[in-house]
Amino acid sequence: MRRSIGSSISDLVHARVDGESLSQDELLTMLTQFLIAGNETTTTHITATVMLLLEQPQLMAQVRADLSLAPKLIEESLRVESPITGLYRTALVDTEIAGVAVPAGAHLLLCYSSGNRDPEQYADPETIKFDRSGEGAHLAFGQGPHFCLGSNLSKAESRIALEALLTRTTNLRLDPAGRTPERIPSYILRGVSRLDLLFDRA
Ligand code: HEM
């Protein structure tokens, strides 16, 4: 079968750039990128969305009653939870941002999570709302030339997971005998590392 898009580990191993194979270092860097960019982010986001629903049962009831709200919930949980809190950039030239001098060569942490809760961009930024159509697009997938290549795939995965969870289970709740959800010890990835749940079959 011919694949039109996408790549696999074999594709990378057999790839040639100017007639040369990729070095082991290049392969390992790309595979690490696949694992973190393509898996960890979305897994973390799905978990964060479920946490939000558990903390705000009225949201869970609303989306369960109207699954067409799922994509909106996903956009809002991407905004509020920002699975990638921020990433680094290096200033190429001397510049100024909001009155702060930034010399060439300075390393900057672009904090998407902060921008995503900017009260000048979002009314009542801490609150999940389904009608933010007049407000700015969130920054959870970055912005500009490096905007996340997997954003649509990730949103589809989160929507499918959410729909399955809400249609195939009822009485979704934290397992009182389970571990207390623990935050991932990272300032780049935001989320919980484990969520012990109980539910009944719908
Ligand atoms: C909730 C899930 C995800 C979040 C929050 C997320 C976030 C981001 C962010 C913030 C960037 C920008 C990096 C930068 O500006 O340097 C990025 C880039 C990227 N993402 Fe994602 N991502 C997610 C899911 C995915 C998935 C599922 C894939 C692949 C299957 C993916 C592949 C990539 C790639 C390849 C880039 C680099 C793009 C480039 O440098 O041109 N991401 N992502």
Side-chain angles (χ1 to χ4, degrees):
M1 191 175 85
R2 191 164 177 271
R3 284 166 300 170
S4 54
I5 56 165
S7 57
S8 65
I9 293 175
S10 305
D11 291 334
L12 285 181
V13 170
H14 295 294
R16 295 287 177 275
V17 179
D18 297 332
E20 303 254 332
S21 310
L22 297 172
S23 70
Q24 193 162 345
D25 279 354
E26 285 168 330
L27 280 172
L28 282 175
T29 308
M30 286 191 197
L31 293 175
T32 309
Q33 168 95 342
F34 280 11
L35 269 181
I36 296 175
N39 168 27
E40 188 104 16
T41 49
T42 308
T43 316
T44 306
H45 174 231
I46 293 170
T47 313
T49 307
V50 174
M51 278 277 282
L52 271 178
L53 294 180
L54 292 172
E55 285 161 5
Q56 302 181 49
Q58 80 286 0
L59 271 186
M60 174 135 52
Q62 221 178 330
V63 181
R64 206 190 280 279
D66 178 2
L67 282 179
S68 73
L69 292 174
K72 290 184 177 172
L73 173 67
I74 284 159
E75 294 297 341
E76 274 291 88
S77 71
L78 280 164
R79 182 183 68 77
V80 168
E81 292 300 323
S82 297
I84 296 194
T85 313
L87 289 171
Y88 286 100
R89 286 293 185 274
T90 305
L92 294 180
V93 293
D94 291 339
T95 187
E96 191 184 295
I97 302 173
V100 178
V102 179
H107 294 292
L108 307 173
L109 177 62
L110 303 190
C111 208
Y112 308 127
S113 54
S114 171
N116 278 341
R117 292 187 184 216
D118 180 352
E120 289 183 16
Q121 295 293 325
Y122 307 102
D124 198 4
E126 313 293 323
T127 306
I128 301 281
K129 291 187 184 178
F130 295 132
D131 55 351
R132 290 198 179 271
S133 50
E135 296 172 297
H138 64 70
L139 302 173
F141 292 116
Q143 216 177 40
H146 292 285
F147 183 83
C148 178
L149 272 180
S151 62
N152 285 330
L153 172 65
S154 162
K155 287 194 272 189
E157 288 174 338
S158 299
R159 179 183 51 74
I160 291 163
L162 196 61
E163 286 172 359
L165 198 67
L166 293 181
T167 52
R168 292 163 64 180
T169 71
T170 58
N171 199 14
L172 191 61
R173 59 205 184 276
L174 280 181
D175 179 357
R179 283 208 218 146
T180 308
E182 278 173 22
R183 289 268 157 204
I184 298 169
S186 164
Y187 63 95
I188 298 289
L189 264 184
R190 177 181 151 85
V192 290
S193 50
R194 170 181 169 136
L195 197 58
D196 292 345
L197 298 175
L198 292 177
F199 54 84
D200 300 327
R201 194 183 288 217

